[in-house]
Amino acid sequence: MTKMNRDDPRSGALDVAGGADRPGNKRIKLRHILPSLLTVFAICAGLTSVRMSIHDNTSAALYLIMLAVLLDGMDGKVARFFDTASPFGAELDTLADFFNFGIAPGILLYSAIFRGTEYESIGWLSCMVLAVCCALRLARFNIALDDPAPPKLSHSYFVGVPAPALACLALMPTFLILDGWETLVDYGYIVALYIVLVASLAVSTLPTFSIKHTSVKRSWLPFIVIGSVVLVMCLVVYPWITLVIANLLYLATLPLAYMRARRHDAM
């Protein structure tokens, strides 16, 4: 089987079309199909989110997109753990990311905020910009993986906001509405402008932190574990305001990543 770089974050599924075993072998190990199944489950979550959006079930649609974010983070790690990454899996993962983090959030935003209001047209335009920017970001990312001479910072930072973070940032207005800010629908132009600005972060060349390559002091480990437990509990008890705070903290890291990348680039 043709394998991809083990550090390739795209690699999310097995080349089920070509098979993981030698030609003529009619059996396949279950570990080879597990990453593909996770990617397919993520697509199903995104599709069901669209259905929930159409039926005005905003909270269920949001939960399903968050599930897709979780599955997107798992499939690549499972593929690398079992050493079953492949070009087929990478392309399947890219298609899943475009739908789950470009199309499904746009439909949810349009249905929850803009549909049936005087801002319907401008809202739909902003949602289209979100989807197009997500597609452009993924296409640029795929091309960068094949670059024989990648930038020296490419292994430490993402270029632009990654697709899952893009979806979470774009959906922040719906988090606020579900947390009680219903009057936000009366500011359609501001919400549309926010969506366009967030979408532009995905296609920008702004360096953003990559968690996979971020290291911390060993002495911080107990605090990180405790903080993770608190975060999970807050997501269970106060999901929407917790996601808003997480988005704001992520936005706060963008200038920090920019300054740190410039400092490294100057060295």
Side-chain angles (χ1 to χ4, degrees):
M1 181 183 69
T2 303
K3 296 179 183 177
M4 300 192 68
N5 190 321
R6 290 172 62 87
D7 291 329
D8 180 359
R10 282 194 312 167
S11 54
L14 161 76
D15 186 355
V16 291
D21 299 318
R22 293 186 179 88
N25 191 345
K26 296 182 180 180
R27 300 182 66 84
I28 186 171
K29 295 180 180 178
L30 290 178
R31 67 183 178 88
H32 288 138
I33 66 172
L34 182 57
S36 293
L37 288 176
L38 290 174
T39 306
V40 171
F41 289 157
I43 295 173
C44 292
L47 282 167
T48 309
S49 173
V50 171
R51 181 189 178 192
M52 294 296 102
S53 298
I54 293 173
H55 292 288
D56 296 323
N57 193 341
T58 303
S59 58
L62 282 172
Y63 280 127
L64 286 163
I65 291 178
M66 294 301 106
L67 175 61
V69 171
L70 177 64
L71 292 172
D72 177 71
M74 291 175 57
D75 60 2
K77 290 179 176 59
V78 170
R80 288 189 291 274
F81 179 79
F82 288 121
D83 196 18
T84 55
S86 73
F88 177 87
E91 298 305 323
L92 180 63
D93 192 57
T94 298
L95 292 173
D97 286 353
F98 172 56
F99 184 84
N100 293 335
F101 309 135
I103 296 177
I107 293 176
L108 175 53
L109 286 164
Y110 174 76
S111 299
I113 299 176
F114 300 110
R115 187 175 61 188
T117 70
E118 59 182 304
Y119 313 107
E120 192 166 8
S121 296
I122 190 67
W124 180 246
L125 178 62
S126 66
C127 294
M128 287 195 295
V129 170
L130 175 67
V132 170
C133 288
C134 183
L136 293 174
R137 192 256 182 268
L138 291 168
R140 184 182 64 186
F141 179 73
N142 289 355
I143 294 174
L145 290 173
D146 299 325
D147 188 352
K152 60 182 180 179
L153 289 175
S154 62
H155 296 298
S156 303
Y157 299 88
F158 290 121
V159 179
V161 172
L166 169 65
C168 291
L169 289 174
L171 289 170
M172 188 153 64
T174 57
F175 299 154
L176 290 170
I177 289 174
L178 289 175
D179 195 56
W181 296 49
E182 292 88 354
T183 56
L184 198 62
V185 298
D186 298 328
Y187 301 91
Y189 288 120
I190 296 177
V191 175
L193 178 61
Y194 168 79
I195 294 171
V196 172
L197 290 175
V198 167
S200 66
L201 291 176
V203 294
S204 70
T205 57
L206 182 71
T208 58
F209 286 120
S210 171
I211 296 179
K212 184 174 67 174
H213 296 101
T214 301
S215 60
V216 297
K217 294 180 180 180
R218 189 177 296 273
S219 59
W220 293 4
L221 184 58
F223 302 101
I224 293 175
V225 172
I226 295 172
S228 299
V229 173
V230 173
L231 175 62
V232 171
M233 293 304 298
C234 289
L235 284 172
V236 172
V237 181
Y238 307 107
W240 311 126
I241 192 61
T242 301
L243 288 169
V244 169
I245 294 173
N247 276 339
L248 293 176
L249 290 175
Y250 181 79
L251 288 173
T253 68
L254 298 184
L256 296 176
Y258 175 74
M259 290 185 291
R260 185 176 176 184
R262 285 195 62 182
R263 206 162 42 239
H264 287 177
D265 193 41
M267 297 175 64

